[in-house]
Amino acid sequence: MTLGFFRNLTKPKPTPVVEREHCVAGRTLPLKIVESARARRLTLRIDSGGQGLRVTVPPGLRRGEVEKFLDRHQDWLEQRLAKVPTRPQVRPGIRIPIRGVPHRIVHEPSRRGTVTVSRDERGPLLIVHGERIHLPRRIADYLKREAKKEIEKLVVKHTEAIGKRAKAIRYKDTSSRWGSCTSEGNLSFSWRIMMAPPAVINYLVAHEVAHLKEMNHGPKFWKLCEKLCPDTDRCKDWLKRNGGALQAIVFE
């Protein structure tokens, strides 16, 4: 008897997700193998920032077929991962973008733990007070506060334009997507978007708000998205080209 890839000896019900590791280009990355009833072929995706791999497979596929698929695409994975930006650690002296503008991180431990924006003769600064060990978390918290402040205003603006209301707004640190909208009207955004230019932040909010009316990516959706954000094409392209670098920054 031949068992399908997702068969379990004690439970015949297929397991929707298998998680393991995969070695490529000298790196060991987490790999998710996801069974989808809608899949007609195997597809391979690299998570933003090159932090993981995902293979989507049709139901009942044998394990050997997945291994052969990964072997065939090993060169492709190596080439793509070589282009993924390195993961800079948030620390004093480096620059990170705030609303698209690079800010040099300066640590001043003499005061209590706050974050302030300033500038000197060399350009914009992000000054972080408090103990050094807490610096990455304080910058992440600063970006979360800025996201909440700006995104909520944009949600109000765009929901009023389409006559829909968002049930809730949440902020996350996701590696595979910048935002989402549920059928119940819950919007989620990655707070890392605050490192992107203002036009791109506006596009992301317009994109997810448009889903409150069109839960798809069909022509009606894109027409509505462009109505809310005339720069949709340019901003979508910017996020595609630069989003991986923002996702790669380590805040820990």
Side-chain angles (χ1 to χ4, degrees), residues 206-232:
H207 183 115
E208 300 308 334
V209 167
H211 279 311
L212 292 172
K213 199 167 187 177
E214 298 288 342
M215 285 295 292
N216 54 68
H217 285 104
K220 289 183 179 180
F221 166 80
W222 288 113
K223 184 176 181 180
L224 177 58
C225 196
E226 288 170 3
K227 181 179 179 181
L228 296 174
C229 174
D231 284 340
T232 285

Side-chain angles (χ1 to χ4, degrees), residues 107-116 127-131 138:
H107 180 220
E108 294 185 356
S110 57
R111 292 167 54 187
R112 287 184 177 272
T114 59
V115 177
T116 56
I127 302 175
V128 186
H129 306 287
E131 295 182 39
R138 289 204 167 102

Side-chain angles (χ1 to χ4, degrees), residues 49 73 78 126-127 137 144 155 161 163 170 182 195 199 228 249:
H73 290 81
E78 291 180 3
L126 196 64
I127 302 175
R137 176 178 57 80
K144 293 172 189 176
V155 168
R170 299 186 176 94
T182 69
M195 293 186 283
L228 296 174
I249 298 174

Side-chain angles (χ1 to χ4, degrees), residues 114-115 138 140-150:
T114 59
V115 177
R138 289 204 167 102
D141 289 343
Y142 170 79
L143 290 172
K144 293 172 189 176
R145 290 193 299 271
E146 292 297 299
K148 188 174 188 298
K149 184 166 57 177
E150 183 154 339

Side-chain angles (χ1 to χ4, degrees), residues 203 222 225-226 229-239:
Y203 157 71
W222 288 113
C225 196
E226 288 170 3
C229 174
D231 284 340
T232 285
D233 288 343
R234 181 173 65 87
C235 294
K236 183 171 65 171
D237 181 63
W238 189 97
L239 203 53

Side-chain angles (χ1 to χ4, degrees), residues 12 16 28 35 78 81 84 91 112 167-168 170 205 221 224:
T28 301
E35 182 181 89
E78 291 180 3
L81 288 170
V84 173
R91 64 185 185 277
R112 287 184 177 272
K167 184 177 179 181
R170 299 186 176 94
V205 177
F221 166 80
L224 177 58

